[in-house]
């Protein structure tokens, strides 16, 4: 392996989804990672050794007897910066959880002292089986990151939960795990809820009242929480972004739909982060037909009514030990308005940022001040939205 490049061991177990991992490997190598592919013996029935070797630029081995003089069953795990297993079948998860070492991949997992990520893929019944759930829980308790599989089309005509997430999102999961390096998975065993995007309140079949939120900050919070070991429920309103690998995504449209979804998910959550831009008002009346323009008269006034205050209700309903985080997008008197909102909503932390035509919405960067109910504040300089997300989770983890 090349010492000046991040060293990734890409484990591949015997699932039909192995073909999708070729794209993950290409993304890793093209972005400057030195990747050693370690497939199981049966994984080569799906994608052959020449493909893995050509795409990675490194030799491929499945057995501990290949290149014995280099002791690969020890060296690969010892020298890796990340071990990423995709797809991780039910069989592979079971062998890893029980500490078996009957091939090169399971030996590598036992010797790894770096972040280890499993991306499961299997039929829904196998994923939901108590044995698999117990194995996943064991691996997570030991500090491994086990992503939740996606829902969708499986092998044949079957559909359900168990699909391998898309390669682009697997790459993001790998990148986030590498960015954390040897830091502990401090959200392991925690369930967090994140809201993202902007709600839309319909006027008629073609028009709505909405806002400019893209969902980028909420998705950065979800990806970062996943990299720290959390189980993530992402409630997304009108977001045109790929689902983060490992998150359970609940799609909503209006503020009332978000209200219902967030409160339902929050019942079992250790932390709730309300990053979505939720409309304060909605039209009192929905027109079943498109509102027509009159040539002789101006537009009719639109009567508005209040939407549910989700953040305030979370504060009132919180369970013991639950951490509630709100967001405040302000244009004027940013900190004064933020402190007022923090006091009114009853949350533990409030992320206050200034918004405008060229600020925050739709941009990859953000700057904010995180206000705390105990009077503290943390300033976050402008930078990638994932950097702000990490600061938020640092503060949440301190309070859990």
């Amino acid at each position: 392996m090349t010492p000046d490049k991040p060293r990734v061991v890409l484990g591949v177990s015997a699932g039909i989804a192995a073909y999708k991992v070729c794209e993950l490997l290409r993304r890793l190598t093209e972005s400057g990672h030195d990747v050693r592919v370690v497939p199981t013996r049966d994984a080569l029935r799906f994608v052959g050794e020449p493909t893995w070797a050509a795409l990675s630029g490194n030799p491929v081995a499945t057995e501990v007897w290949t290149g014995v003089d280099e002791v690969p069953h020890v060296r690969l795990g010892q020298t890796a910066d990340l071990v990423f297993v995709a797809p991780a079948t039910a069989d592979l998860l079971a062998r890893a959880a029980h500490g078996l070492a009957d091939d090169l991949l399971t030996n590598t997992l036992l010797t790894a002292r770096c972040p280890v990520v499993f991306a499961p893929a299997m039929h829904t019944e196998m994923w939901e089986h108590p044995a698999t759930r117990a194995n996943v829980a064991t691996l997570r308790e030991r500090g491994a990151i086990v992503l939740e599989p996606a829902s969708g089309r499986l092998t044949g005509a079957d559909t359900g939960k168990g699909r391998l997430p898309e390669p682009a999102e697997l790459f993001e999961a790998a990148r986030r795990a590498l960015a954390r390096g040897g830091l502990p998975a401090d959200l392991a065993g925690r369930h967090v809820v994140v809201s993202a995007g902007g709600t839309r309140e319909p006027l008629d079949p073609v028009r709505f009242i909405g806002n400019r939120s893209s969902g980028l900050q909420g998705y950065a919070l979800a990806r970062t929480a996943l990299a720290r070991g959390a189980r993530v429920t992402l409630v997304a309103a009108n977001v045109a972004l790929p689902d983060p690998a490992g998150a359970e995504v609940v799609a909503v449209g209006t503020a009332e739909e978000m209200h219902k979804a967030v409160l339902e998910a929050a019942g079992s959550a250790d932390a709730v982060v309300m990053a979505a831009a939720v409309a304060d008002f909605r039209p009192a009346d929905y027109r079943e037909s498109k509102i027509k323009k009159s040539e002789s008269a101006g537009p009719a006034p639109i009567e508005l009514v209040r939407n549910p205050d989700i953040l305030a209700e979370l504060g009132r309903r919180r369970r013991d030990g639950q951490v509630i985080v709100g967001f405040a997008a302000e244009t004027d008197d940013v900190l004064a308005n933020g402190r007022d909102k923090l006091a009114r909503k009853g949350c533990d932390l409030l992320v206050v940022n200034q918004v405008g035509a060229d600020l925050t919405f739709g941009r990859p960067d953000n700057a904010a001040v995180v206000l705390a109910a105990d009077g503290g504040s943390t300033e976050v300089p402008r930078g990638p939205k994932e950097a702000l997300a990490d600061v938020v989770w640092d503060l949440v983890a301190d309070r859990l």
Side-chain angles (χ1 to χ4, degrees):
M1 292 187 176
T2 308
D4 59 345
K5 293 182 176 182
R7 293 159 295 189
V8 178
V9 172
L10 181 57
V12 184
S13 60
I16 186 63
Y19 78 92
K20 296 169 74 172
V21 182
C22 295
E23 173 65 14
L24 170 61
L25 173 56
R26 185 188 67 79
R27 288 175 178 266
L28 286 167
T29 55
E30 289 186 356
S31 58
H33 299 82
D34 189 42
V35 186
R36 183 74 177 265
V37 182
V38 181
T40 64
R41 188 183 306 110
D42 285 340
L44 296 179
R45 294 174 176 263
F46 295 96
V47 179
E49 178 182 334
T51 300
W52 298 124
L55 291 175
S56 68
N58 280 315
V60 175
T62 62
E63 305 294 342
V64 297
W65 308 110
T66 304
V68 172
D69 57 312
E70 297 179 359
V71 201
H73 70 290
V74 174
R75 294 286 181 264
L76 283 173
Q78 286 179 334
T79 60
D81 297 305
L82 172 69
V83 177
F84 197 103
V85 183
T89 60
D91 175 73
L92 189 281
L93 292 172
R95 289 191 288 142
H98 288 82
L100 301 184
D102 53 357
D103 61 8
L104 185 56
L105 178 53
T106 49
N107 272 270
T108 300
L109 290 169
L110 281 179
T111 57
R113 295 298 180 266
C114 60
V116 176
V117 180
F118 295 91
M122 63 198 74
H123 273 75
T124 306
E125 294 82 359
M126 300 173 75
W127 173 249
E128 294 176 347
H129 195 282
T132 304
R133 304 309 298 159
N135 292 331
V136 168
T138 296
L139 292 168
R140 286 173 172 164
E141 287 169 5
R142 293 174 184 161
I145 296 170
V146 184
L147 303 175
E148 291 287 313
S151 296
R153 183 71 177 267
L154 305 174
T155 306
D158 292 344
T159 60
K161 190 166 186 177
R163 180 182 174 89
L164 187 70
E166 295 306 307
E169 284 305 308
L170 291 176
F171 173 72
E172 288 298 321
R175 190 176 64 83
R176 290 302 307 156
L178 276 166
R180 286 193 56 78
L183 294 174
D186 55 358
L187 295 179
R190 301 291 191 177
H191 175 211
V192 303
V193 175
V194 178
S195 70
T199 62
R200 296 177 179 178
E201 311 305 318
L203 285 164
D204 63 21
V206 298
R207 300 182 180 91
F208 60 84
I209 297 173
N211 58 68
R212 299 176 59 201
S213 178
S214 65
L216 288 171
Q217 185 63 72
Y219 274 56
L221 283 155
R223 290 193 185 98
T224 305
L226 289 161
R228 298 171 78 141
R231 178 168 71 89
V232 177
T233 300
L234 177 61
V235 182
N238 307 298
V239 176
L241 297 170
D243 293 350
E248 178 188 356
V249 180
V250 181
V252 298
T254 66
E256 289 185 311
E257 290 172 355
M258 177 164 282
H259 174 253
K260 179 181 178 181
V262 167
L263 290 183
E264 182 176 332
S268 63
D270 297 289
V272 183
V273 180
M274 284 295 298
V278 183
D280 294 321
F281 305 98
R282 69 181 185 275
D285 296 309
Y286 173 76
R287 305 289 184 88
E288 295 293 341
S289 300
K290 179 183 175 183
I291 301 171
K292 293 294 187 179
K293 178 175 63 176
S294 171
E295 298 297 339
S296 59
I302 298 172
E303 183 184 355
L304 299 177
V305 296
R306 284 188 177 276
N307 273 323
D309 191 329
I310 304 172
L311 185 58
E313 192 164 347
L314 286 169
R316 292 192 299 269
R317 292 190 178 198
R318 75 166 69 221
R319 297 182 295 104
D320 288 344
Q322 190 177 56
V323 179
I324 307 297
V325 183
F327 270 66
E330 301 289 348
T331 57
D332 304 293
D333 298 325
V334 175
L335 289 181
N337 287 332
R339 291 190 180 95
D340 178 64
K341 182 173 182 177
L342 176 65
R344 287 187 291 106
K345 302 297 184 179
C347 48
D348 300 282
L349 299 165
L350 188 74
V351 183
V352 185
N353 52 12
Q354 187 169 13
V355 297
D358 297 313
L359 289 174
T360 304
F361 289 137
R363 292 178 57 95
D365 57 346
N366 203 350
V369 176
V370 186
L371 302 177
D374 59 12
S377 66
T378 304
E379 186 170 353
V380 185
R382 185 160 300 281
K385 288 186 172 178
E386 288 174 342
L388 173 58
D390 263 325
V391 172
V392 171
W393 292 124
D394 287 343
L395 295 169
V396 169
D398 288 343
R399 287 161 172 76
L400 284 174

